[in-house]
Amino acid sequence: MNKPEIMTQTDIAGPAPRHQTTKVMVGNVAVGGGAPIVVQSMTNTDTADVESTVAQVAALARAGSEMVRITVDREEAAAAVPHIREQLDKRGITTPLIGDFHYIGHKLLTDYPACAEALAKYRINPGNVGFKDKRDTQFSTIIELANKYGKPVRIGANWGSLDQELLSKLMDENAASATPRDARAVTREAMVQSALLSAARAQELGMPKDRIILSAKVSAVQDLIAVYQDLAARSDYAIHLGLTEAGMGSKGIVASSAALGILLQQGIGDTIRISLTPEPGGDRTLEVQVAQELLQTMGFRTFVPLVAACPGCGRTTSTTFQELARSIQDFIREEMPAWKSKYPGVENLNVAVMGCIVNGPGESKHANIGISLPGTGEAPAAPVFVDGKKFRTLRGPTIAADFKALVIDYIDQRYGSGAKAPESVTAAE
């Protein structure tokens, strides 16, 4: 009897090569063309309220959003945009602002040239830029203004506001076909065509390809994957990814991560946004954190040091390791904006906070600095490992505080201006 052949994989699988797209400069941020995948977010303040909008843009930028979209829906909002840009510049915040236009964008950009100048990019929805005979005129006006001010545009088709004339045309053609497709497939095709036809029209009006970004957002994961696969296969425009109306809390995080994770693994996507419905009074910056963690977890970019911590079990009835892991992670994220210049490379740091002896020592050795806290019934001792070697054993009621101090000391010595080899943190026990 022949033995079954055993398949082995000696190399770790990685993502597909990045889909080659045309680089677009949005202010000082490169999108596409092989540039790092960009994290984007959007304010939910009334743009006419300059103070609130500046505060939220500043918070999003501090959290790591590299571009921020703001709603420009009426005259008061358009009038406020240059003041928002001015206040951000005074704070030293250079994050590009993207104007989100629907229905009357052509009029607002025409009537408020200071708004048109202050924005780094215009977002156009081909499904509601205009209707019937006015559609091309109003779309053309926005493109001509973008050309005048040298601004790129994102042409963003959306499942919830799709061009109904185009959809009806494709549905009629499908019904008359000998092999009609599913209605959802036709709707996805309408999404792709809406974006591509609008991009072609923008180029006819003199807009170069290196000022055009496309998106085609839907709210269902499988539809989103299919739409973006088609869009990428049929063009080399820069692509913005996002699952629209993703939802609140864990539902929105899981849905967005599932959809965008698959597309990113396939090499599709140049900029992303995680569109989370915030909890009442919730922190808007959560969507930035999720986007960063998605890109970092998948190995595309590095933003903040990683803190590994075990999930806990019956061996870890104490909450010490949970509290310590959270304390260190929060501390690192809060300090990262200042650390970017003070500690170059600190984003590559790995910290382990483990709860018992089963996996604790092993995981701690794999981290730059790690601790194995005593589990239930274990001796009240916590070995600390630095760069794979036993460094010290902590004991007593101040274990958590002592380890946090060691982490801070390690960061200063490893990544500070006078960086030394980590062994200078003192000799091992």
Side-chain angles (χ1 to χ4, degrees), residues 44 247-249 273 275-287:
N44 61 355
M248 181 180 289
R273 182 195 170 201
S275 301
L276 298 179
T277 303
E279 300 285 348
D283 187 352
R284 188 67 166 182
T285 63
L286 176 61
E287 65 178 46

Side-chain angles (χ1 to χ4, degrees), residues 307 324-325 328 351-354 364 369-373 382-386 391 394 398-410:
V307 177
L324 180 56
I328 291 174
V351 180
V353 180
M354 307 305 294
S364 296
I369 180 168
I371 185 171
S372 179
L373 291 162
V384 174
F385 297 84
V386 172
F391 169 69
L394 301 178
T398 61
I399 285 177
D402 291 344
F403 179 69
K404 185 174 179 180
L406 288 175
V407 171
I408 296 169
D409 195 30
Y410 181 95

Side-chain angles (χ1 to χ4, degrees), residues 291-351:
Q292 289 183 330
E293 290 178 352
L294 174 62
L295 292 176
Q296 184 157 340
T297 299
M298 296 189 69
F300 289 106
R301 293 188 64 183
T302 305
F303 296 96
V304 297
L306 292 175
V307 177
C310 66
C313 66
R315 290 175 174 271
T316 56
T317 53
S318 168
T319 60
T320 302
F321 78 98
Q322 298 166 324
E323 294 162 357
L324 180 56
R326 182 177 62 185
S327 173
I328 291 174
Q329 184 72 77
D330 290 349
F331 173 74
I332 287 171
R333 187 166 287 279
E334 289 168 5
E335 295 297 323
M336 272 305 293
W339 284 357
K340 285 180 180 179
S341 58
K342 185 178 181 181
Y343 298 121
V346 70
E347 65 273 10
N348 296 305
L349 175 73
N350 287 314
V351 180

Side-chain angles (χ1 to χ4, degrees), residues 53 97 191 312 343 347 356 404 415:
T53 303
L97 296 178
M191 291 274 292
Y343 298 121
E347 65 273 10
C356 79
K404 185 174 179 180
Y415 302 102

